[in-house]
Short mmCIF file of all heavy atoms in Angstrom, two decimals:
data_model
loop_
_atom_site.label_atom_id
_atom_site.label_comp_id
_atom_site.label_asym_id
_atom_site.label_seq_id
_atom_site.Cartn_x
_atom_site.Cartn_y
_atom_site.Cartn_z
N VAL A 63 -144.99 39.51 163.39
CA VAL A 63 -144.00 39.97 164.39
C VAL A 63 -144.33 41.36 164.86
O VAL A 63 -144.26 41.71 166.05
CB VAL A 63 -142.52 39.88 163.82
CG1 VAL A 63 -141.61 40.61 164.69
CG2 VAL A 63 -142.15 38.44 163.61
N ALA A 64 -144.72 42.22 163.91
CA ALA A 64 -145.07 43.61 164.27
C ALA A 64 -146.30 43.65 165.23
O ALA A 64 -146.28 44.43 166.21
CB ALA A 64 -145.35 44.43 163.04
N ILE A 65 -147.26 42.82 164.99
CA ILE A 65 -148.43 42.78 165.84
C ILE A 65 -148.10 42.24 167.23
O ILE A 65 -148.55 42.76 168.23
CB ILE A 65 -149.56 41.97 165.18
CG1 ILE A 65 -150.16 42.74 163.99
CG2 ILE A 65 -150.67 41.59 166.18
CD1 ILE A 65 -151.13 41.93 163.14
N SER A 66 -147.22 41.21 167.21
CA SER A 66 -146.79 40.63 168.54
C SER A 66 -145.94 41.65 169.33
O SER A 66 -146.09 41.73 170.56
CB SER A 66 -146.04 39.33 168.33
OG SER A 66 -146.85 38.40 167.77
N VAL A 67 -145.09 42.33 168.67
CA VAL A 67 -144.18 43.27 169.37
C VAL A 67 -144.98 44.45 169.94
O VAL A 67 -144.70 44.92 171.10
CB VAL A 67 -143.07 43.77 168.39
CG1 VAL A 67 -142.34 44.98 169.01
CG2 VAL A 67 -142.12 42.67 168.11
N THR A 68 -145.96 44.90 169.21
CA THR A 68 -146.75 46.08 169.74
C THR A 68 -147.76 45.65 170.82
O THR A 68 -148.38 46.49 171.43
CB THR A 68 -147.51 46.73 168.54
OG1 THR A 68 -148.37 45.79 167.94
CG2 THR A 68 -146.55 47.32 167.58
N GLY A 69 -147.95 44.34 171.06
CA GLY A 69 -148.81 43.86 172.09
C GLY A 69 -150.31 43.76 171.71
O GLY A 69 -151.12 43.55 172.63
N ARG A 70 -150.61 43.91 170.45
CA ARG A 70 -152.02 43.82 170.05
C ARG A 70 -152.44 42.40 169.74
O ARG A 70 -153.64 42.13 169.63
CB ARG A 70 -152.25 44.73 168.84
CG ARG A 70 -152.08 46.20 169.14
CD ARG A 70 -152.32 47.03 167.88
NE ARG A 70 -151.27 46.78 166.94
CZ ARG A 70 -151.28 47.16 165.66
NH1 ARG A 70 -152.36 47.77 165.20
NH2 ARG A 70 -150.29 46.93 164.90
N GLY A 71 -151.54 41.51 169.62
CA GLY A 71 -151.96 40.13 169.23
C GLY A 71 -152.30 39.26 170.41
O GLY A 71 -152.08 39.61 171.59
N GLN A 72 -152.92 38.15 170.13
CA GLN A 72 -153.30 37.20 171.18
C GLN A 72 -152.16 36.24 171.39
O GLN A 72 -151.72 35.59 170.48
CB GLN A 72 -154.56 36.43 170.79
CG GLN A 72 -155.74 37.31 170.63
CD GLN A 72 -156.95 36.55 170.16
OE1 GLN A 72 -156.88 35.34 169.94
NE2 GLN A 72 -158.10 37.22 170.09
N LYS A 73 -151.66 36.15 172.59
CA LYS A 73 -150.42 35.38 172.87
C LYS A 73 -150.71 34.17 173.68
O LYS A 73 -149.80 33.47 174.14
CB LYS A 73 -149.39 36.26 173.59
CG LYS A 73 -148.98 37.43 172.73
CD LYS A 73 -147.94 38.27 173.48
CE LYS A 73 -147.64 39.48 172.62
NZ LYS A 73 -146.80 40.42 173.31
#
Side-chain angles (χ1 to χ4, degrees):
V63 169
I65 289 173
S66 295
V67 168
T68 59
R70 293 181 292 167
Q72 297 178 357
K73 297 180 185 173

